[in-house]
Amino acid sequence: MATAPKEAENAIDLEEIHTERQEPPKGQKTFTVEEAVETIGFGRFHIVLFLIMGSTGVAEAMEIMLIAVVSPLIRCEWQLQDWQVALVTTMVFFGYMVFSIVLGFLADRYGRWKILLLSFLWAAYFSLLTSFAPSYIWFVFLRAMVGGGVSGHAQGLIIKTEFLPTKYRGYMLPLSQVFWLAGSLLIIGLASVVNPTVGWRWLIRIASIPGILLILMFKFIPESARYNVSTGNVAAALATLQRIAKMNGAAMPEGVLKEPTKERRGKFKDLIHPKYLRTTLQIWIIW
């Protein structure tokens, strides 16, 4: 008799699992996120996405190129040697390298949007702290933390790529580099005005403004539908795709959104597998 309640409880649990993972009825049409993206096509949503996510390149370029226009000033202020000036740039990219790996894993687990937001908050916070650095050691440490935060900005490119129809990726993604160039020109122009007047500390504070403004725009950017589906949150993915279709004035595909077939996750050693080794080496050399 004591086993009856437990059996009933197990039956309820199984029913809930079946409800959450219920397969579409046999013969009913289904579609994937990629098929929905292709059907919806390019439209107003993608233009807004391109401008907001592309602007992450402005913030990223300003933070990275900042060292080039600040180094001569901190050299004089703290009487630095050549290797000490070079170490600043080295540590920025060291932070970029380390945290790009960490944030990449976290993005796969917790979502692209969350890590992108975290990276902007992180970079803006440590960038502002850098402007108050009391010594060279603190300056190097804080800029390394900025590099770590900036590394997460790549999630913006991933979100943009996953929502773009295939035929538009070939020229829309390279076009995003315009924003990086704009950020580089902007920080150089600001430095020519700000450095001689109010100093490098105010230049760093001003350079953090684009990143802070972009944080306010993140509410208009949805989480990756592909990520939501991969984690079983099909309802959220469907809502995102419907929102995109509405903004673009397009129709959704017929049928039910389905989860992709579970595949083995890639591993680092796959990069040096004979099948991919040539491509891997070519990409590494290009970068």
Side-chain angles (χ1 to χ4, degrees):
M1 296 295 293
T3 60
K6 187 176 288 293
E7 290 177 355
E9 183 180 342
N10 291 339
I12 293 174
D13 291 340
L14 289 173
E15 184 178 352
E16 289 176 351
I17 294 174
H18 177 72
T19 301
E20 292 176 359
R21 300 285 184 173
Q22 188 174 13
E23 293 293 329
K26 190 173 182 180
Q28 184 173 11
K29 290 184 178 180
T30 60
F31 61 90
T32 63
V33 171
E34 288 74 15
E35 290 169 344
V37 168
E38 297 297 329
T39 301
I40 294 171
F42 187 86
R44 188 171 62 175
F45 167 82
H46 296 91
I47 295 174
V48 174
L49 182 69
F50 177 78
L51 293 176
I52 296 177
M53 291 294 93
S55 296
T56 62
V58 175
E60 183 176 349
M62 292 183 71
E63 293 292 357
I64 295 297
M65 296 297 294
L66 182 68
I67 300 302
V69 294
V70 165
S71 292
L73 301 180
I74 64 173
R75 177 199 291 268
C76 296
E77 182 169 331
W78 288 321
Q79 299 298 305
L80 303 178
Q81 299 181 28
D82 290 344
W83 70 267
Q84 291 175 305
V85 176
L87 183 63
V88 177
T89 303
T90 301
M91 291 305 295
V92 169
F93 284 102
F94 178 77
Y96 197 112
M97 179 182 69
V98 172
F99 281 93
S100 64
I101 298 171
V102 175
L103 294 179
F105 281 118
L106 292 177
D108 284 342
R109 182 166 185 177
Y110 298 106
R112 319 280 187 233
W113 188 91
K114 292 177 183 177
I115 298 304
L116 182 62
L117 176 61
L118 173 64
S119 71
F120 267 87
L121 292 171
W122 179 299
Y125 175 71
F126 282 105
S127 182
L128 288 174
L129 283 184
T130 305
S131 68
F132 298 99
S135 65
Y136 167 74
I137 297 299
W138 272 108
F139 185 88
V140 171
F141 170 74
L142 292 172
R143 290 317 294 182
M145 291 297 100
V146 172
V150 169
S151 69
H153 294 185
Q155 298 303 322
L157 178 65
I158 296 173
I159 291 176
K160 183 167 55 178
T161 303
E162 291 181 349
F163 282 123
L164 273 174
T166 305
K167 76 175 192 175
Y168 292 94
R169 293 175 189 169
Y171 66 88
M172 290 296 290
L173 296 180
L175 189 60
S176 301
Q177 297 304 310
V178 170
F179 291 94
W180 175 278
L181 297 174
S184 300
L185 293 173
L186 181 58
I187 192 64
I188 293 171
L190 284 172
S192 65
V193 176
V194 177
N195 280 344
T197 53
V198 292
W200 64 268
R201 294 181 185 272
W202 274 104
L203 176 64
I204 293 177
R205 293 163 192 161
I206 294 172
S208 65
I209 292 176
I212 296 173
L213 293 177
L214 277 172
I215 293 172
L216 303 177
M217 302 294 293
F218 277 15
K219 64 180 180 179
F220 299 106
I221 302 302
E223 177 58 275
S224 164
R226 185 174 182 179
Y227 167 80
N228 280 331
V229 168
S230 69
T231 57
N233 195 355
V234 179
L238 182 61
T240 297
L241 293 171
Q242 289 173 339
R243 171 187 166 191
I244 296 173
K246 183 177 180 180
M247 284 188 66
N248 287 3
M252 286 283 292
E254 295 182 4
V256 178
L257 179 62
K258 67 176 182 179
E259 299 181 48
T261 304
K262 297 294 182 182
E263 298 179 353
R264 183 183 70 86
R265 293 178 60 86
K267 297 181 179 180
F268 182 81
K269 66 179 182 181
D270 292 337
L271 295 175
I272 56 176
H273 187 279
K275 181 179 179 181
Y276 304 110
L277 181 59
R278 179 178 177 181
T279 302
T280 297
L281 294 176
Q282 288 174 334
I283 292 175
W284 284 354
I285 291 171
I286 290 171
W287 275 104

